Amino acid sequence: MTRTPLQQRIVRNRQNVMTSVVRAFYVIKATILWQKYLMSYHNGRDSIHDMVYKSDKTSVVNIRMNRNAFTRLCDMLEQRGGLKNSKNMLVDEQVAMFLHVLAHNEKNRIIVERFKWSGETSYMRYVRLHKEFYKKPVPIPDDETDERWRRFKGSLGALDGTYIKVKVLAANRKPYRTRKGEICTNVLGVCSRDLQFIYVLAGWEGSAADSRVLRDAISRPHGLKIAHGTYYLCDAGYTNGERFLTPYRGQRYNLNDWSRPPTNAKELYNMRHSTARNVIERCFGLIKSRWAILRDNAYHPIESMPRIIIACCLMHNFIRTTMTEDPLDQEIPINHTQFGDEHDNIISTVETSQGWTDRRDLLANTMFTDWTARRANN
């Protein structure tokens, strides 16, 4: 049936009305989305301003570094780490969120509310720059004047292990349970005398013997490398052998044990060994004090924890090299020791050598002879 001109005009009017309604709907929807985006953007920028840019004091409290260090880190990650402005967040927002999570162990829903953003934090960009952040080992020179280190010529620093609590499914917890019943990962740390990490190996189960962790670190293609003629100071839980210098067993060692002076060469050697090797204890104390994610029960899956731990150590190095003064230096005492982190497993991968034992004995006797002579002259 053919429509009359009037009917055709009515149909066209109805179609035009429907088209106008649909267009208006999409315009209103787009306007609402744009307003939400602007609100989210400004809320995020306000959060960044209050958290970082307001003052150095608030910046250190919230992300553990001042504004200058934060700006330099953002530039480094953007230029060399491949970090870019995303659809929802600028580079500085991504970095601030990352540091805030490390510093305060925030849950994802808290981060979503504060930054108006939902998603996983990528720790890989920070780990990829490990060559930029890790300290390059430098042996103690022959003309060293530092009283703690001048007798350990050729030493690169100290190494030890520590436990970090992790979140593991109940069915998989047994390998991660330590002797004290805590669910942890066993972390090997190697540091220089200026309290910076040279190498970190994270990911081993808490029940893993230190011998296995060290064996893994040494055997990896890009693992712990120790040049010939150099060595690290280790505690008595490790075997005294080439490239690893340990204290004498059965003698006083911990810094808290020296209320009275040494009585023989072995005790004097142990006292000075403990004074120098304590840098690794302080390093672990600093990162656990700085980053709450390492000392509290973590909310992140076990698969992410090795990268998180390494990222914390790298950011620790960055802070110490960038800021003129580390805010935590006064909080962690020089004689800091780790309580509850006894690593008493024997390192079977480092064989005891008579030459290395003789070297330790010669060092101890030289120290004692020099010490007694100076006491006699005084």
Side-chain angles (χ1 to χ4, degrees):
M1 181 178 180
T2 305
R3 294 177 177 175
T4 64
L6 178 60
Q7 291 175 329
Q8 292 176 359
R9 189 164 54 253
I10 293 174
V11 171
R12 285 196 302 270
N13 289 340
R14 288 176 179 175
Q15 291 175 345
N16 292 335
V17 170
M18 291 299 298
T19 302
S20 300
V21 170
V22 172
R23 288 177 178 175
F25 171 78
Y26 282 111
V27 169
I28 294 173
K29 183 178 180 180
T31 303
I32 293 174
L33 291 176
W34 178 247
Q35 290 176 346
K36 287 184 177 181
Y37 169 79
L38 291 177
M39 185 178 299
S40 175
Y41 172 81
H42 289 297
N43 288 340
R45 298 312 300 173
D46 290 342
S47 296
I48 290 295
H49 177 269
D50 293 340
M51 180 183 297
V52 179
Y53 297 118
K54 189 175 183 179
S55 69
D56 281 338
K57 183 177 180 180
T58 57
S59 181
V60 170
V61 168
N62 288 308
I63 62 173
R64 302 300 189 249
M65 63 180 66
N66 59 27
R67 292 171 292 181
N68 176 61
F70 175 74
T71 301
R72 291 180 61 180
L73 179 61
C74 291
D75 292 340
M76 181 181 295
L77 292 171
E78 188 172 10
Q79 295 170 10
R80 285 174 278 180
L83 191 62
K84 303 295 181 184
N85 294 327
S86 68
K87 182 179 179 180
N88 299 318
M89 300 187 74
L90 301 180
V91 167
D92 62 343
E93 293 174 332
Q94 298 175 55
V95 177
M97 181 187 68
F98 159 76
L99 293 172
H100 190 72
V101 169
L102 298 186
H104 301 280
N105 196 23
E106 294 280 22
K107 293 183 178 180
N108 189 57
R109 61 180 177 83
I110 304 297
I111 295 300
V112 170
E113 177 62 27
R114 171 166 293 186
F115 291 92
K116 308 302 178 185
W117 180 84
S118 178
E120 290 294 327
T121 302
S122 175
Y123 302 94
M124 284 305 297
R125 298 191 184 277
Y126 303 84
V127 177
R128 286 172 186 165
L129 289 175
H130 64 277
K131 292 183 179 180
E132 303 275 350
F133 296 126
Y134 270 141
K135 174 77 173 185
K136 290 180 173 58
V138 178
I140 302 298
D142 293 340
D143 58 350
E144 178 59 46
T145 58
D146 189 327
E147 187 66 24
R148 292 176 301 170
W149 289 94
R150 68 184 183 87
R151 298 171 183 86
F152 298 102
K153 298 177 178 63
S155 172
L156 299 173
L159 66 82
D160 201 359
T162 191
Y163 293 124
I164 303 293
K165 294 180 180 180
V166 291
K167 178 182 179 181
V168 184
L169 295 176
N172 302 327
R173 287 178 183 172
K174 185 176 180 180
Y176 292 90
R177 195 177 302 278
T178 67
R179 296 186 306 277
K180 293 193 172 183
E182 296 180 330
I183 307 302
C184 300
T185 181
N186 192 346
V187 180
L188 173 69
V190 183
C191 78
S192 61
R193 59 173 173 161
D194 58 353
L195 301 173
Q196 294 188 51
F197 285 98
I198 296 171
Y199 178 80
V200 177
L201 178 60
W204 275 93
E205 298 88 345
S207 63
D210 287 349
S211 59
R212 297 181 63 191
V213 181
L214 184 59
R215 184 188 305 122
D216 185 23
I218 295 174
S219 62
R220 292 191 176 203
H222 301 287
L224 178 62
K225 304 302 179 185
I226 310 174
H228 181 72
T230 62
Y231 60 92
Y232 286 103
L233 302 182
C234 316
D235 66 17
Y238 295 81
T239 298
N240 187 71
E242 188 175 0
R243 297 182 175 86
F244 300 96
L245 189 64
T246 67
Y248 289 99
R249 295 185 180 185
Q251 305 289 333
R252 286 185 294 165
Y253 182 70
N254 291 329
L255 293 178
N256 297 329
D257 296 338
W258 300 106
S259 56
R260 54 187 176 84
T263 58
N264 55 55
K266 291 183 177 180
E267 283 194 352
L268 177 65
Y269 166 86
N270 275 12
M271 181 181 71
R272 289 178 172 170
H273 185 285
S274 177
T275 302
R277 194 199 65 85
N278 187 253
V279 292
I280 187 62
E281 307 283 358
R282 290 194 67 203
C283 263
F284 286 141
L286 284 169
I287 63 170
K288 291 181 180 180
S289 178
R290 194 188 311 278
W291 311 117
I293 199 170
L294 299 183
R295 66 176 183 266
D296 300 334
N297 291 321
Y299 303 112
H300 301 269
I302 183 61
E303 294 79 12
S304 301
M305 285 307 295
R307 294 192 296 271
I308 292 174
I309 293 169
I310 293 175
C312 288
C313 295
L314 297 180
M315 291 299 97
H316 162 85
N317 281 9
F318 177 79
I319 289 172
R320 293 194 65 84
T321 56
T322 306
M323 295 177 61
T324 55
E325 181 179 353
D326 188 339
L328 294 182
D329 273 342
Q330 304 303 320
E331 298 182 19
I332 305 299
I334 295 178
N335 61 346
H336 174 80
T337 56
Q338 297 183 82
F339 295 99
D341 275 5
E342 304 90 346
H343 283 243
D344 54 5
N345 302 297
I346 302 303
I347 302 301
S348 59
T349 54
V350 182
E351 297 181 359
T352 302
S353 66
Q354 186 61 43
W356 205 255
T357 300
D358 293 342
R359 177 174 179 171
R360 182 176 64 175
D361 292 340
L362 177 61
L363 181 59
N365 291 328
T366 302
M367 286 182 182
F368 192 69
T369 300
D370 179 65
W371 182 70
T372 52
R374 285 192 296 170
R375 292 192 71 189
N377 293 332
N378 293 334

